[in-house]
Amino acid sequence: MGIEDVRTAGELVGRLTGQLRRIMPPGARRERLVDALDSTFAGDRAPVDAAACRAIEAVARRHSRHLELHLEPCGVAVGGAPDDEMPGWPPPDPVAIARRSGGIGAVRHLDHGDCLITLNSLEALGSARPYLDAAATLARAADRVILDLRANRGGDPATAAAVAGWLLGDTSRQLSVVLYPGHRRQWWTPELACGTAFTGEVTVLISRHTYSSAEALAYHLAVRDRATLIGETTRGAADHVTPVRLAKQVLALLPEAEVRDIETGGNWEGVGVVPHVPYPAENALHRALTDLQPA
């Protein structure tokens, strides 16, 4: 069947489950995901439109919170066939990253020796590093860093590891192992020059919008007793994903690997990162400043 023939939700799910069996790590969770999609959409004659994509996502996200379907009604030039090999992520745009200041939204010195760093995204580390280093320099003399991840939807895992390393210590530490079908990858914090890491107190603000690698950063810090988390439980997307074109008009982000924190052996998939201090996200900074002042 040519790619132009994918017209119904049932046909799209057939493509989706075939790709999941190809790239997702085998195991009970993959089988539950595939079975849920097959049992719900087999033979479904609904057209492939925005409503169908959202319905498929809703079923899929019970088992993988990261799975996304992006509808492109006008189609794109993809050579007339779905991806047989994962194309990977497009190269980062250093100009766009510079305009976003490497993901740093603000660095503010507050009362009582606090320094607030608003980190809105985890941009590609090669382009983001100068901005991260500048923020670290500005915060060097603070008694406490308040790291605001409430609007951070994730990004480069290497950047998450770099920020974690700045807060965990100069010596390199393993954060996680990521399990792909047939191989695995370890993530470590970078080795830093002596005295580079921040040694004061750390508070991290999170929300229901905190997502993906930003959740990883909060999780890794929390389970190592390095930070107090304030705010709302995060969205719970731990899988590593890759773009795969399912049809001419549908680009998917599909899970290709599972994360295992090296300390806990687990992750936050489906449950989110739970704050130490639950609080409405919009008031989390106020709570950090008024109720949790360093001694």
Side-chain angles (χ1 to χ4, degrees):
M1 180 173 63
I3 191 166
E4 296 83 1
D5 297 324
V6 178
R7 295 289 183 261
T8 69
E11 291 171 347
L12 180 62
V13 165
R15 286 264 175 89
L16 171 58
T17 56
Q19 292 285 12
L20 288 169
R21 288 191 175 98
R22 185 171 71 90
I23 69 171
M24 189 175 180
R29 190 160 68 96
R30 186 184 74 178
E31 296 312 308
R32 288 194 296 269
L33 171 56
V34 169
D35 288 348
L37 289 167
D38 281 341
S39 62
T40 306
F41 296 101
D44 192 326
R45 304 299 298 173
V48 176
D49 56 14
C53 288
R54 299 295 79 78
I56 295 167
E57 280 184 342
V59 172
R61 287 181 177 176
R62 299 170 193 164
H63 307 279
S64 178
R65 293 283 175 87
H66 241 142
L67 194 150
E68 298 179 12
L69 299 179
H70 295 276
L71 184 67
E72 299 166 338
C74 295
V76 294
V78 295
D83 291 322
D84 293 321
E85 296 183 5
M86 292 174 286
W89 295 97
D93 182 347
V95 174
I97 293 172
R99 288 174 178 157
R100 294 190 290 269
S101 300
I104 300 292
V107 180
R108 294 169 51 201
H109 286 278
L110 308 174
D111 295 336
H112 307 289
D114 291 329
C115 183
L116 172 67
I117 299 177
T118 303
L119 186 58
N120 289 327
S121 55
L122 294 167
E123 305 289 347
L125 183 58
S127 297
R129 189 185 297 276
Y131 302 94
L132 300 174
D133 290 345
T137 299
L138 290 170
R140 186 185 304 278
D143 296 320
R144 175 174 64 154
V145 160
I146 302 174
L147 183 63
D148 188 352
L149 302 179
R150 287 176 292 178
N152 195 311
R153 291 179 51 81
D156 189 352
T159 305
V163 176
W166 174 59
L167 298 173
L168 287 170
D170 297 335
T171 303
S172 180
R173 297 179 60 176
Q174 186 176 357
L175 297 175
S176 64
V177 59
V178 182
L179 307 175
Y180 297 80
H183 73 284
R184 60 182 59 199
R185 177 175 183 177
Q186 297 178 356
W187 283 99
W188 293 69
T189 64
E191 192 82 22
L192 301 177
C194 183
T196 300
F198 180 75
T199 58
E201 295 188 34
V202 179
T203 298
V204 177
L205 310 181
I206 56 176
S207 79
R208 64 186 182 278
H209 302 295
T210 307
Y211 192 56
S212 191
S213 294
E215 295 180 88
L217 175 55
Y219 183 93
H220 294 320
L221 293 173
V223 301
R224 288 160 179 79
D225 296 321
R226 184 62 183 101
T228 299
L229 309 186
I230 303 177
E232 299 164 344
T233 300
T234 64
R235 289 177 63 183
D239 290 335
H240 284 209
V241 296
T242 190
V244 177
R245 185 160 296 283
L246 297 179
K248 187 174 183 180
Q249 73 275 37
V250 180
L251 179 69
L253 300 184
L254 302 185
E256 63 170 342
E258 295 182 357
V259 178
R260 293 287 179 266
D261 181 271
I262 203 67
E263 297 285 335
T264 67
N267 61 39
W268 57 99
E269 176 65 39
V271 296
V273 181
V274 180
H276 299 100
V277 182
Y279 212 72
E282 62 271 21
N283 297 319
L285 176 59
H286 175 75
R287 177 67 188 268
L289 293 175
T290 56
D291 293 354
L292 294 172
Q293 286 293 346

